[in-house]
Amino acid sequence: MRRKTAIRTGLSAFLLLGSWATAGFAPASAAPSPISEAPASHGLLAAMQRDLGLTAGQAQKRLAAEKTATSLEAKARRAAGESYGGSWFNPSSGTLTVAVTSARNADAVRATGATVRLVEHNARQLNAAKKRIDALSAPPAGVSSWHVDPKASRVVVDVVATRKKDSNVREFLDRARQAGPVTVKETAQKPRTFAAGTVGGDPYYTGNVRCSIGFSVHGGFVTAGHCGQAGASVSGWDRSAIGSFQGSSFPDNDYAWVNVGSGWWTVPVVLGWGTVPDQLVRGSIEAPIGVSICRSGSTTHWHCGTVLAKNETVNYSQGAVHQMTKTSVCAEGGDSGGSFLSGDQAQGVTSGGWGNCTSGGETWYQPINEILNRYGLTLHTS
């Protein structure tokens, strides 16, 4: 950032202005850092109380249990072997549940400290079914998204309630059911991306589009692909030049990265916007389904929710985007590209969703480790 702006507010003066803050693979260039045991800030606990309906004590207890579950997940998955059917965090019990298709593996999984549920299909079978649905042509506008649900041991296809009787929706569902074990659920609205026209605040700009910076990487930052095409120039919140999009993919994916120059620099920080202290980024260990997760963005600032699903295909009007993670966190226009965090671990960049931060909604993010792998980037960590 230019020296004239370097004294803006504390860590907010660094590159990650407008930033928010993640997926199933380790980053290509940076080994995951151990999960920090630093105590949660008062602001973070307050945000979880507001968005998740918890008391301060409940929020503290949940964060501690989520750290344990996140550390346990990889070990439990290895113990399950080929019978692994997925896993998720149970907020009510504070435990990690691992689905297995064979009782022979159950004791080995329990020995890791996880709870076990016997299911019909393993993760390989479910992912193969979802991949066959991904390959179906022309998903209609009334189909919102589809993902593997380890609890149901099915691929869940979400359909907009008001469009469920459309002939093209029924036809798509018939073809999806032929691909494997499928169940259908209704959703209130169709997802959309969260880019916005030029307004004030702490953004970055591409032409008349405003988005939010995601995470610093060495040499630049990552963000959403729908915010700009490769080669497009980028300016900061003060309209001074930052750099340009070095790579961008949308639809199919929704990720991009921007190089940094012209007096700007990168730091491993995500803005707390006064709700929580600015957050240090220490790694990108993937959090399991069911854990609490928070995000930061230039429009609606800091909000929290829960991880609802992984590896979901989202059917935007511009086309389908794959391998997304669904959350109950709200977002609005201009929040696109911002950061999703679980504790101090980067999780992903905001893509889109439905609803808003007044009435609520759902938001998807593109996992950070996939972006790092795709472009050979190294996450900037503290």
Side-chain angles (χ1 to χ4, degrees):
M1 182 179 302
R2 298 186 185 284
R3 291 292 178 183
K4 65 186 177 68
T5 62
I7 58 171
R8 207 164 173 240
T9 53
L11 289 175
S12 303
F14 289 105
L15 170 64
L16 284 164
L17 280 165
S19 131
W20 325 352
T22 161
F25 310 101
S29 306
S33 301
I35 297 176
S36 170
E37 297 299 327
S41 70
H42 173 75
L44 174 58
L45 296 174
M48 292 180 67
Q49 291 175 70
R50 177 196 65 197
D51 295 334
L52 297 175
L54 304 175
T55 66
Q58 288 171 332
Q60 289 177 319
K61 185 177 180 180
R62 178 162 173 168
L63 285 172
E66 288 174 353
K67 287 182 179 180
T68 300
T70 298
S71 299
L72 176 63
E73 188 177 35
K75 183 178 180 181
R77 179 169 186 161
R78 288 193 297 270
E82 284 296 313
S83 73
Y84 177 75
S87 58
W88 60 92
F89 177 75
N90 298 308
S92 58
S93 63
T95 59
L96 181 75
T97 297
V98 176
V100 296
T101 57
S102 172
R104 294 193 300 272
N105 301 86
D107 288 341
V109 174
R110 290 191 186 97
T112 69
T115 301
V116 173
R117 179 184 293 184
L118 287 174
V119 295
E120 185 177 358
H121 306 286
N122 64 26
R124 178 182 53 79
Q125 294 168 326
L126 293 173
N127 287 331
K130 180 186 175 292
K131 189 173 181 179
R132 287 191 287 270
I133 298 174
D134 286 344
L136 297 178
S137 61
V143 175
S144 171
S145 61
W146 53 95
H147 69 274
V148 169
D149 182 353
K151 292 183 183 180
S153 198
R154 294 286 188 276
V155 178
V156 175
V157 180
D158 288 313
V159 174
V160 179
T162 57
R163 307 291 297 275
K164 63 182 181 180
K165 295 183 179 179
D166 291 359
S167 59
N168 57 356
V169 170
R170 294 199 303 268
E171 180 185 355
F172 181 86
L173 293 177
D174 287 342
R175 289 188 290 154
R177 291 186 179 99
Q178 295 174 19
V182 164
T183 188
V184 178
K185 291 186 178 180
E186 295 182 8
T187 186
Q189 299 179 41
K190 183 175 174 62
R192 57 182 175 83
T193 55
F194 284 130
T198 300
V199 296
D202 288 314
Y204 76 86
Y205 297 92
T206 305
N208 68 342
V209 173
R210 173 171 66 85
C211 284
S212 298
I213 295 170
F215 293 96
S216 280
V217 296
H218 291 286
F221 65 84
V222 294
T223 186
H226 71 264
C227 291
Q229 297 181 342
S233 297
V234 173
S235 59
W237 65 271
D238 63 351
R239 293 295 191 167
S240 64
I242 293 179
S244 62
F245 281 86
Q246 300 298 296
S248 180
S249 177
F250 180 79
D252 188 28
N253 305 293
D254 193 6
Y255 51 60
W257 82 281
V258 175
N259 69 334
V260 166
S262 303
W264 293 72
W265 65 87
T266 66
V267 289
V269 174
V270 171
L271 284 183
W273 297 100
T275 300
V276 300
D278 294 342
Q279 303 290 296
L280 293 175
V281 178
R282 300 188 186 278
S284 58
I285 299 174
E286 181 188 2
I289 293 171
V291 304
S292 60
I293 193 166
C294 298
R295 64 143 194 87
S296 174
S298 64
T299 299
T300 57
H301 298 172
W302 188 270
H303 285 274
C304 300
T306 302
V307 176
L308 301 177
K310 296 182 181 182
N311 191 20
E312 182 149 18
T313 299
V314 180
N315 187 30
Y316 293 129
S317 61
Q318 300 94 329
V321 177
H322 304 95
Q323 295 182 319
M324 302 273 272
T325 298
K326 179 165 64 177
T327 77
S328 64
V329 186
C330 67
E332 296 179 12
D335 286 332
S336 280
S339 356
F340 269 88
L341 281 168
S342 177
D344 55 16
Q345 300 296 302
Q347 298 297 306
V349 300
T350 302
S351 174
W354 60 267
N356 55 54
C357 288
T358 300
S359 59
E362 294 177 339
T363 301
W364 283 261
Y365 64 79
Q366 186 89 67
I368 183 66
N369 290 331
E370 180 184 357
I371 308 171
L372 299 177
N373 281 325
R374 169 62 180 83
Y375 294 118
L377 300 170
T378 300
L379 185 67
H380 193 165
T381 58
S382 61

